[in-house]
Amino acid sequence: MSSRMAGAALLRHLGPRLFAAEPAVSGLAARGAIPAAARILPARMASTAAEAASAKQHGSAGGGTEKQEEAAGGQSKKAIVSYWGIEPPKLVKADGTEWRWPCFRPWDTYTSDTLIDVKKHHEPTTLPDKAAYLLVKSLRVPMDLFFQRRHASHALLLETVAAVPGMVGGMLLHLRSLRRFEHSGGWIRALLEEAENERMHLMTFLEVTQPRWWERALVLAAQGAFFNAYFVGYLLSPKFAHRVVGYLEEEAVHSYTEYLKDLEAGVIDNTPAPAIAIDYWRLPADAKLKDVVTVVRADEAHHRDVNHFASDIHYQGMKLKDTPAPLGYH
């Protein structure tokens, strides 16, 4: 009975506020523009209500709060009216046309160094290095059997995994920097840049091919297993973790070399390069898929060097924070 009486008392107290008709506030409450929470907490919601009313008034004078704009990619986009006053910057390319990519900015683009030695290899001598090398080689066998010469699909899976180590390593170094009140030597940014670069590879190859449902399932399983394994591995031995990534990048260079061979032999159509690749790597407007694969292979070679270098630092008894990171090395 006590709970029933308490419920009845609560209903009597809140009922008039929730269910009773109230005077309209600038006509917004009747239209549902102000949530029901504003009727319970009027003081807390007053600033939001006033801002909404002001925005509606200004919007009606200018032809509506949301105006349609034509995006560069042919899709319509809406100009957002925000209570917080945040407006997306309007960027333009060097030729004066609108910048169409919200996922990266003009200052994130670069020209890849394609003259890098793609045949360089770190010869394993120590036991951990040999274990890392055999581990990577053993992972390559099922991938080759599964994808065979379907290079674009292979690249999709490769990039979903290759983007993990940089994020995990950068995150752990970030937490260590906070925990120990020390600088990172630029390695947090370097590893996160690597992860972002690998993700851009994925965004590029999504314009070349789309994954099938079973490939998506494979990516889900592979990424989940690899993330947790690499997380634990980096906690236990950063030098071993970086060496594994170095060998993974060597295999990535080999995979893209095979991709280029099939493109040059005419086995795969050398289609025009995706627009996102042209802007990201500053490629010529008439660039082809072969040019894209070439710059992606160069990126992987640079990641190979950075991770082998990081592992060598640990092997020499030094710390990453005491050695400047190779920022912008691509």
Side-chain angles (χ1 to χ4, degrees), residues 216-240:
R216 291 178 180 270
L218 180 61
V219 165
L220 185 64
Q223 190 183 76
F226 184 68
F227 177 90
N228 289 283
Y230 191 79
F231 180 86
V232 175
Y234 202 96
L235 286 175
L236 296 176
S237 177
K239 65 181 179 182
F240 178 78

Side-chain angles (χ1 to χ4, degrees), residues 14-323:
L14 294 179
R17 296 175 179 240
L18 290 174
F19 308 112
E22 289 193 2
V25 182
S26 302
L28 294 175
R31 297 183 178 90
I34 299 180
R39 306 175 190 177
I40 303 175
L41 304 172
R44 184 72 176 268
M45 301 294 292
S47 61
T48 305
E51 187 67 22
S54 175
K56 186 173 183 64
Q57 181 179 0
H58 289 300
S60 60
T65 59
E66 297 178 345
K67 66 177 182 178
Q68 297 288 335
E69 294 182 356
E70 192 66 22
Q75 298 179 348
S76 62
K77 62 180 181 179
K78 296 181 179 179
I80 305 300
V81 177
S82 173
Y83 165 70
W84 308 105
I86 299 175
E87 296 184 2
K90 293 184 177 180
L91 304 175
V92 295
K93 297 167 63 174
D95 58 4
T97 58
E98 182 182 359
W99 183 258
R100 62 184 297 186
W101 311 109
C103 55
F104 66 100
R105 295 293 188 255
W107 50 84
D108 297 323
T109 66
Y110 62 96
T111 301
S112 183
D113 176 19
T114 57
L115 299 179
I116 188 172
D117 185 2
V118 296
K119 297 181 180 179
K120 191 183 297 183
H121 167 65
H122 180 274
E123 193 66 33
T125 53
T126 65
L127 183 60
D129 282 2
K130 292 179 179 179
Y133 183 71
L134 291 176
L135 174 63
V136 173
K137 282 295 185 182
S138 64
L139 292 175
R140 180 178 178 84
V141 174
M143 290 296 99
D144 286 345
L145 293 175
F146 185 81
F147 290 105
Q148 298 183 4
R149 309 304 290 182
R150 295 187 298 113
H151 298 291
S153 297
H154 190 184
L156 287 180
L157 177 66
L158 179 66
E159 300 302 345
T160 58
V161 173
V164 170
M167 181 60 66
V168 172
M171 175 187 67
L172 291 176
L173 290 181
H174 174 73
L175 294 176
R176 178 181 299 174
S177 175
L178 298 177
R179 187 171 62 250
R180 298 185 177 180
F181 307 97
E182 63 185 19
H183 291 285
S184 70
W187 281 95
I188 296 174
R189 181 177 174 184
L191 293 178
L192 293 182
E193 282 182 351
E194 176 186 316
E196 174 64 12
N197 182 249
E198 298 284 11
R199 191 187 67 85
M200 288 303 301
H201 294 174
L202 176 64
M203 297 299 104
T204 297
F205 283 108
L206 280 174
E207 300 295 324
V208 178
T209 187
Q210 288 292 318
R212 300 175 177 88
W213 69 267
W214 44 270
E215 290 174 337
R216 291 178 180 270
L218 180 61
V219 165
L220 185 64
Q223 190 183 76
F226 184 68
F227 177 90
N228 289 283
Y230 191 79
F231 180 86
V232 175
Y234 202 96
L235 286 175
L236 296 176
S237 177
K239 65 181 179 182
F240 178 78
H242 280 294
R243 189 69 78 202
V244 168
V245 178
Y247 287 129
L248 280 173
E249 299 294 358
E250 289 185 17
E251 294 302 322
V253 170
H254 173 75
S255 296
Y256 285 117
T257 299
E258 294 298 311
Y259 198 165
L260 285 173
K261 288 180 179 178
D262 283 355
L263 283 168
E264 293 170 352
V267 178
I268 301 175
D269 292 336
N270 191 20
T271 57
I276 190 172
I278 292 176
D279 286 341
Y280 184 68
W281 284 285
R282 302 177 186 174
L283 297 174
D286 59 348
K288 297 292 186 178
L289 180 58
K290 178 183 175 182
D291 301 313
V292 176
V293 176
T294 300
V295 295
V296 170
R297 183 181 65 170
D299 284 348
E300 304 295 0
H302 286 88
H303 300 329
R304 170 204 65 195
D305 295 350
V306 170
N307 281 278
H308 280 316
F309 175 57
S311 183
D312 289 345
I313 292 173
H314 285 289
Y315 268 105
Q316 295 172 18
M318 302 173 64
K319 297 181 179 180
L320 292 183
K321 69 181 183 70
D322 298 325
T323 307

